[in-house]
Amino acid sequence: MAMSKGNPLRVLHDGTTSGGQLTRREMVQRLLAGMSAAGAWPLVGTSHPIRKLLRNDAVLEEAENLGAADWKPVFLNAEQDESLIALAESIVPGSTKAQVNRFIDLLLSVDNSENQNRFVVSLTALSAEAQRRFGKNFPSLDDNQKNLLLTDASARPVNSNSSDSRTAGKQFALQEHFENLKGWVSGAYYSSEAGMRELGWTGDYVFETFPGCEHPNQHR
């Protein structure tokens, strides 16, 4: 994920940070402060459900348990979680280490059924496209196949034939499915400490304007 350089930053507070690891809630507070200063967050659409969920303090407190060795998904099943891990890493490299899949699963577990269903439909549509084009699940694709599929999905709408899309009551173009998933992945990753630091946060600053974000394979 290549980030543009040279964007101005605004001082959040005087003095130095304690040097301790920040909680997810503290990271999100800094992200929201940057959103307030910049007036927008270009990485996630204004109507995307993750924006509201990132303001849920109770969920953010629960996020501190996501690193547990015995963690299991609450909302997603094992196959969906595996697909999400692979997709997230392809959309925003570093997502696996940042445990993006675990945070998204937590957020989905408290979201409404409409957003939950839409997420599953989008995930299923990308998985179905991988099967249609390559005869394999997305996690089993090689890097070139993943990049080709996501580049096409991000560039033009392709209607999905997934039966799960029909059960949700609405057919989404493949591009819309991709944009939905990208919003979840981007919001989860860039609200983590790793994501904030990639954007240029150093501990003493929030963003006056947000840096640009462009995937090296144009998945943006």
Side-chain angles (χ1 to χ4, degrees):
M1 184 69 67
M3 311 305 301
S4 61
K5 306 297 183 181
N7 295 280
L9 299 173
R10 181 171 65 85
V11 175
L12 176 62
H13 57 77
D14 294 327
T16 59
T17 59
S18 62
Q21 185 175 4
L22 294 175
T23 65
R24 173 76 69 160
R25 182 179 180 182
E26 290 170 330
M27 290 309 308
V28 170
Q29 287 174 341
R30 284 154 176 76
L31 179 64
L32 294 178
M35 289 169 60
S36 177
W41 185 17
L43 299 175
V44 179
T46 56
S47 63
H48 197 281
I50 199 170
R51 281 178 170 260
K52 180 178 180 180
L53 292 167
L54 287 176
R55 298 180 184 274
N56 187 324
D57 287 344
V59 175
L60 297 179
E61 291 291 345
E62 184 65 24
E64 297 312 301
N65 299 320
L66 295 180
D70 59 349
W71 177 88
K72 293 181 180 179
V74 178
F75 174 75
L76 300 171
N77 62 38
E79 183 178 355
Q80 291 167 340
D81 183 54
E82 182 183 12
S83 294
L84 176 57
I85 291 172
L87 277 163
E89 186 65 29
S90 296
I91 293 171
V92 182
S95 290
T96 303
K97 185 176 181 180
Q99 298 181 331
V100 161
N101 65 305
R102 298 187 180 194
F103 189 46
I104 291 176
D105 177 75
L106 174 63
L107 296 178
L108 286 169
S109 73
V110 300
D111 206 352
N112 60 51
S113 59
E114 180 181 358
N115 291 332
Q116 290 174 337
N117 289 339
R118 188 182 177 199
F119 181 91
V120 171
V121 167
S122 294
L123 192 64
T124 301
L126 268 293
S127 297
E129 185 67 8
Q131 282 284 355
R132 185 186 72 81
R133 295 179 63 170
F134 304 109
K136 295 184 287 187
N137 293 328
F138 189 88
S140 299
L141 302 181
D142 62 36
D143 288 343
N144 288 335
Q145 291 170 331
K146 290 175 181 176
N147 286 333
L148 179 61
L149 191 156
L150 293 182
T151 297
D152 290 346
S154 65
R156 66 177 186 271
V158 179
N159 290 332
S160 169
N161 294 320
S162 168
S163 60
D164 284 334
S165 293
R166 291 191 291 272
T167 64
K170 183 178 180 181
Q171 286 287 346
F172 288 96
L174 195 61
Q175 185 181 37
E176 291 176 317
H177 289 305
F178 172 80
E179 290 297 327
N180 181 35
L181 294 174
K182 187 185 76 172
W184 284 102
V185 172
S186 297
Y189 180 77
Y190 288 107
S191 63
S192 71
E193 183 167 355
M196 287 284 285
R197 291 191 182 279
E198 184 175 318
L199 288 174
W201 180 79
T202 63
D204 293 314
Y205 300 90
V206 295
F207 308 110
E208 187 71 47
T209 59
F210 279 95
C213 175
E214 182 174 328
H215 193 283
N217 294 293
Q218 285 74 55
H219 309 155
R220 57 182 181 177

